[in-house]
Amino acid sequence: MSQGNESMNESEKNIGGTESVLLNLGPQHPSTHGVFRLRTLLDGEEVVDVEPILGYLHRGSSKLAEERSYTQIITLTDRLDYLAGMSNNLAYISALEKLTDVEPPERARYLRVIMVELMRIASHLMGIGFLINDLGAWITPLMHMFREREKILDLFEMVCGARITFSYMRLGGVSHDLPEGFEKSIAEFLDDFEKKIEEYENLLLGNEIILSRMVGVAPLAGERAINCSITGPNLRASGVDWDLRKQDPYEIYDQLDFSVPLGENGDNWDRMVVRIEEMKESVHILRQCMDKLPQGPYRADTDFFVRPPEGEAYGMVEAPKGELGFYLVSDGSIAPYRMGIRSPSFINLTVLRELCVGWKLADIIVNFGTLDINVGEVDR
Amino acid sequence: MQMLLFNMVVLILVTPILLLIYANKEPLIQYTSQDVFNGINFFIGLFILISFLLFVTTMLTYVERRLVARMQNRIGPNRVGPFGVLQGFADLIKLITKEDLIPTLANRNIFSLAPILIMSPVLLMFAVIPILPGFTIADLDIGIFYVVAITSLGSLGVFAAGWASNSKYSLYGAVRGVAQLVSYEVPLVLSICTIVLLSGSLNLIEIAEAQEIPFILVQPVAFLIILFSVAAELNRTPFDINEADSEIVAGFHTEYSGTKFALIYGTEYLAAFGWSLVIAILFFGHLGPGIGGFLMLMAKTSIILFLFFWFRGTWPRVRIDQILAIAWKIMFPLATINIIITAGEILFVQSIFNINPGNALGLQPLAIITIINIILFAGLLVILSFVKGLGQFDKGPKRYVPDIEGVN
Amino acid sequence: MRIFGLGAIKGLVVTLKYLFRPPFTTQYPENKLDISPRFRGNNFVWYEERCTGCSSCAKACPLGIIRIVTHPESHQQVGNDYKIDVFEIDTGRCMFCALCVEACPYDALHMGGDFEKADYVREDLVITTDQLREGTKKPQTQFRPQLEDIGYQGEEELDEHEAGRWSL
C-alpha cells in the first residue's frame, strides 16, 4: 500500500459512496508514545481500520541476552519498559532465582517490593499524564505528574544511583541497602503524594470534558479481554479480578494487606480510574512495607558469573502494564541459551483495532493512551 | 477549484476595503474633544495602531507561555531580556529568518496566500474597535456586525491552508476547522443579538455606553455562549480540534514554517486579543475617558485573555462530533431562547417604566432584567446537570459498528 | 447530584493555585539539583596505586568498553600487582551500570559524580589513562559501603588510602 506524497484520494474501501482515507499516525507523531506507527483507514472522522506497525525500536534484547552473563542481562531488562525498570529487573530476577534455586534474604524481598511499588506509581503517573495529554490538555496534568514522578526518581537515585536504568536487583537480593535518611524521605513523599492524588482527582475526575471524552468510549468486555490475554490494569478495568500479586503471590505480597481495584465495563474511563486507584493501593502497600521492614542482610552470597544448572524457568510479576514474564533456558554455561520475554504492552496491543474501529479519529489516540503501552517493551 | 478559490479570495479582500471607504464619507478618524491623538493625521494613527497590535501579539505569546508554565510548576521562558519579556521578539526574528519551505506537491500560490488570508480579516477587525476612547479608524454604525462579518472570513484562509498543503493532516484540520467555524458563527451572532437588543445599537461605542449595569451580569448566558463560541473561533482549548496537536499534529498549519507560520501563529494571538477586546466592550461596562479609560479597557481585556490562557492550561479538548453537538444542540437553542426571553423582558420593562421603543434602558429596568436573568441562569445550570452527556454520564456501552464486509 | 460545570471549575481552581506557587523546576546551568552520594555520574575515579591490572572490571562490563593493557615486564615480578600501560573507558558507549565498580576487588575503580559531559566527536568521549590518572578523585559511594560508613558524601577528594576498604 502506497503512502506519502501521492493523491490524497487514494481509496481502499468504498463506503457509502465516499472514499476512505489512509492516514499514517506515526512513526513520528506527537502522541504515539515512542516510535510507533498506526496505519489507520478513515471514513471521514470515523475509523474503519487500524493496524499497528511495530519494530521501529527493536533492539534484539532476547538475542543480546544470549551472549551476556546472567548478571549483565539485568542491564538489558532496564531498557525494556524504560518507565518501569525496577519491575523488569524483578521479573528477570524471579526467573533467574527459580533457575538457580537461590533464596533471597527477607530484607531483600521487602526492598524489592518497595521499589516495585514505587515504580508502579511512577509508571501509572506517566500513563495517566500522557493519556490526558492525548486528550488535548496542554501538558498541565502531565507536568503535575512529572513532578511527583521526579520525587520518586529522586528516591531511586538515593538508593541505587540512577534515575531510569536502575540495574538494582541482583541474584539473591538487591545491589544496595537503603541509604541513610531513606525512611524519612519516603514517609514524606507518601504523605505528600496522598494529597496530590486528591488534587489529581479534582483536576481530572470531575471535568465534564474528560468525562464526555472517556465514559462509555471503547468498552472491552471482560470475557473478550481474557480471550485476547490482556493483563494488568486493562484487564482489571474490564472487571476481571486477576492480579498476580494476589493470584500467584511472589516475594512478600501474601503477607501484605491490599485490595485489587476493579472497573465495571472496561471503557477508557475505567482504565484510567483503575490506575488512579492502584496508585492509592501502592501507597498503602508501601506504608506497610516500611513498617514491617526487617533488619538483616540485603543480598545472598552469589557469584558474579553464575552458572545455573541446565534447565528452564519462567518467572512472572505483575508489572505496572500487566503480566511481565521472563523465560530462561540454561545450558549450564554463564550465559542463557535462550531468553524469551512476555511483554504486557505487546500483548495488550491485540485489542487496539477492536477498540478503535467504529470510533472517531480522536478516540484512537485516547484508546491507545489508555492501553498504556511502552514501545520499548513492544519492540524489545 | 484553484481559480474559484483565488477569485473568492480577491473578492473577499477587496470587499471590506470598499465597504470601509463607502461607509466613511467623512475623514476616517473621528476626532473628538477628548481625542488624545487630536491633530495627528490618519497614517500616523494607523502606524501607531498596527505597531501596537504587533507588540501586543508578540507579548501575548510570551505571556501565555509564562502563565501556563507557572500553572505547570515550570519557570517558563526567562532568558531573553529581563524575565524573558523579549522571548516573543526572539521567536519572531527566528521565524522570519528561517528558510521558507513549501512542500513539493503543495499548491504554491494558495499555500502562500493562505497565511495572508488568515491574517487580514483579523487586522481589518481592529478598524472598528475603539481601542483608545474616541480613536477608531472607522466608527461604523454597524460596528459589531462588521466584526462578525469580517472575522468569519478567516475560515476560508484555514481551508485554503489545509487544502493547499497537500497533506492529510492539514486536510483533516481544514475540514474540522471549517465545520467548527461555521457552526459556532450561529450561536455567536444570536447571542450578540441579545446585546444589541438591550443596547439598541450596533455601534460598539454606543453598546458600551448603554451599559448602566455591565452586561455580564445582565446576560450571563450570552456571555458564556459568546466566550465559548469565540474560543471555538480562535481554535483555543477546549475547541482547538483543527490544530489538535495530539491527533493531527498541527492541523491546517502542519506544513507551514518560517514567516508564513509566524503569520498564522501571530494571528491566533491577534485574534484572541481582538475578540477579547470585543467581549470586554460588549460585557464589561462603560469605556472611560482618556488614558485611564484605555488602561481600564486593557485590564478588562486581560481578564478575558487570562480566561483563554487558563482554559488552555487546564482543560483537554472536546471531540469533533461533541463540538458540533454542543454548537447545534445546546448553544443554538439556548441562544435562541435567550433572545426570545430578552425581547420579552425588554417589552415588559418598557411597559412598566414607560420607555419609548428605541430609547436606552435606564438603570432600574436593567436591574430588573439582571435579577430575572441570574435566576434563570441558576435554573439553567440545574437543568443542564440532568442532561445526559453534560451533567450525567451514561455508563452503558454505546458503540457504533460500521456495517462493512471484512470489519469485525 | 453534580452541578454542571462544577467539575471543570474544580480543575481550574487547581491550576490557579499553582499559578501563585513557586515553580518546582530549577534553572539548570545556574542552579543544580543535589545529587545523591551514590549517583552514577559519567566519569570514573581510578586509583592507579590500588589497581592490580586484574581486568575484573573489563570482564564484568556488559559492553566490553574497558581496555586494559599491562606492562609486559611487570609480569615477571613476584606478586600479582601489574604495572598498567593503558586503562581506557569508552564512555561514548557506556551505560553507567556500575557493574565494573561492583566487580573491582581492590576498590580501585569508582563511579564519579559528574553529569556534564558533551563532546562533538565520539572519540573525545573515551576517558584515557592520563585523564583517569589526573582527574579529580571524588568517588561516589556506589558499591562502596565503606565510604558510606565514614559518612562520606561524595564531595571531598579522597586519596588512594581513604577510598578503599583497607589502606595500602
Side-chain angles (χ1 to χ4, degrees), chain A residues 203-235:
Chain A
L203 183 61
L204 305 177
L205 295 192
N207 194 324
E208 278 80 4
I209 299 171
I210 296 182
L211 276 160
S212 64
R213 281 297 298 276
M214 297 181 83
V215 172
V217 174
L220 179 65
E223 199 181 340
R224 184 70 189 142
I226 294 170
N227 287 344
C228 293
S229 46
I230 305 301
T231 48
N234 297 331
L235 179 67

Side-chain angles (χ1 to χ4, degrees), chain A residues 281-292:
Chain A
E281 287 303 317
S282 290
V283 171
H284 186 48
I285 293 174
L286 281 166
R287 285 195 194 284
Q288 292 176 54
C289 285
M290 290 313 291
D291 287 345
K292 290 185 181 175

Side-chain angles (χ1 to χ4, degrees), chain C residues 82-146:
Chain C
Y82 294 158
K83 185 174 178 298
I84 294 169
D85 282 349
V86 179
F87 191 108
E88 282 181 357
I89 304 172
D90 181 1
T91 54
R93 288 172 61 210
C94 183
M95 54 188 179
F96 310 103
C97 60
L99 286 180
C100 49
V101 177
E102 185 182 7
C104 182
Y106 301 103
D107 293 352
L109 189 65
H110 305 256
M111 297 305 292
D114 284 0
F115 50 88
E116 291 166 317
K117 189 173 186 182
D119 267 307
Y120 291 99
V121 189
R122 269 189 179 275
E123 284 72 41
D124 292 348
L125 289 168
V126 178
I127 304 180
T128 60
T129 321
D130 289 339
Q131 283 171 353
L132 278 175
R133 277 187 186 130
E134 287 149 22
T136 52
K137 311 282 188 189
K138 286 184 189 169
Q140 298 298 105
T141 60
Q142 175 85 359
F143 288 113
R144 296 290 175 258
Q146 76 272 10

Side-chain angles (χ1 to χ4, degrees), chain B residues 15-42:
Chain B
T15 318
I17 298 166
L18 290 177
L19 190 76
L20 273 180
I21 293 168
Y22 177 74
N24 290 273
K25 284 156 191 153
E26 291 144 36
L28 282 173
I29 295 182
Q30 311 280 309
Y31 298 118
T32 59
S33 56
Q34 52 175 325
D35 185 8
V36 285
F37 285 112
N38 201 1
I40 304 176
N41 71 33
F42 171 68

Side-chain angles (χ1 to χ4, degrees), chain A residues 79-127:
Chain A
R79 286 153 177 81
L80 287 177
D81 178 358
Y82 40 78
L83 294 177
M86 288 287 186
S87 310
N88 304 342
N89 282 353
L90 181 61
Y92 168 73
I93 289 296
S94 68
L96 186 56
E97 278 173 358
K98 278 181 189 167
L99 197 61
T100 52
D101 278 336
V102 174
E103 275 289 312
E106 190 70 4
R107 185 175 171 85
R109 290 188 185 280
Y110 273 91
L111 291 183
R112 285 175 179 181
V113 170
I114 291 169
M115 295 306 150
V116 169
E117 290 302 322
L118 277 174
M119 199 76 249
R120 190 184 311 280
I121 294 176
S123 175
H124 283 343
L125 281 175
M126 284 296 91

Side-chain angles (χ1 to χ4, degrees), chain B residues 131 273 276-277 280 284 291-307:
Chain B
I131 292 180
F273 178 63
S276 303
L277 266 173
F284 283 2
I291 288 292
F294 170 72
L295 292 179
M296 269 308 290
L297 184 61
M298 287 300 121
K300 291 169 190 169
T301 311
S302 313
I303 293 172
I304 307 287
L305 278 171
F306 176 73
L307 277 181

